[in-house]
Amino acid sequence: MAYSSENPIVQLKKCLTLVQDVSTHTEANRAFEQLCGIIDAENPMAAQLLEMLWEEAIMARRSALFWQQMSDVEKDMANRMMDNMTQMRQNYLRLMQEM
């Protein structure tokens, strides 16, 4: 990816778009490294600050994905429990009718 001719803000937006999907994190990191190389040449401290924020953004995205997956698992478990409960009630009602 050749980002060197682009505006750094546009490059950063592209990086942030790529980081939204875990499968494109490698590509996002490569694009971000190129961006940091450009910024580091102009202002090393700004590049360091941007790198820190980038690491936090990646950790936050991965954490959000983890908790989303946990939420999906809990939802599936709750749905199965409700299905089992409904089946048990139906079985109980049939049993009572047979008596």
Side-chain angles (χ1 to χ4, degrees):
M1 278 186 230
Y3 289 110
S4 58
S5 64
E6 294 180 12
N7 179 336
I9 293 172
V10 172
Q11 286 179 267
L12 183 58
K13 285 181 182 180
K14 284 184 180 182
C15 292
L16 292 172
T17 300
L18 288 170
V19 84
Q20 293 303 312
D21 185 4
V22 174
S23 66
T24 60
H25 276 195
T26 304
E27 187 180 350
N29 280 327
R30 270 189 260 126
F32 184 76
E33 286 173 9
Q34 290 177 352
L35 173 62
C36 273
I38 294 166
I39 293 174
D40 191 41
E42 296 174 14
N43 188 341
M45 187 174 286
Q48 280 183 320
L49 291 171
L50 192 58
E51 286 175 11
M52 289 172 57
L53 292 173
W54 179 254
E55 289 172 13
E56 289 295 322
I58 287 186
M59 286 190 295
R61 183 66 195 134
R62 288 182 179 162
S63 178
L65 179 63
F66 170 78
W67 288 111
Q68 180 62 49
Q69 289 172 341
M70 289 295 290
S71 175
D72 291 344
V73 167
E74 288 178 348
K75 179 183 172 191
D76 290 342
M77 286 176 56
N79 288 340
R80 279 185 284 185
M81 285 174 51
M82 288 303 297
D83 291 344
N84 288 341
M85 191 70 146
T86 302
Q87 185 66 41
M88 287 172 52
R89 282 186 187 144
Q90 290 173 350
N91 290 345
Y92 176 77
L93 290 174
R94 272 190 235 125
L95 180 62
M96 288 292 142
Q97 288 175 349
E98 289 175 5
M99 294 181 125

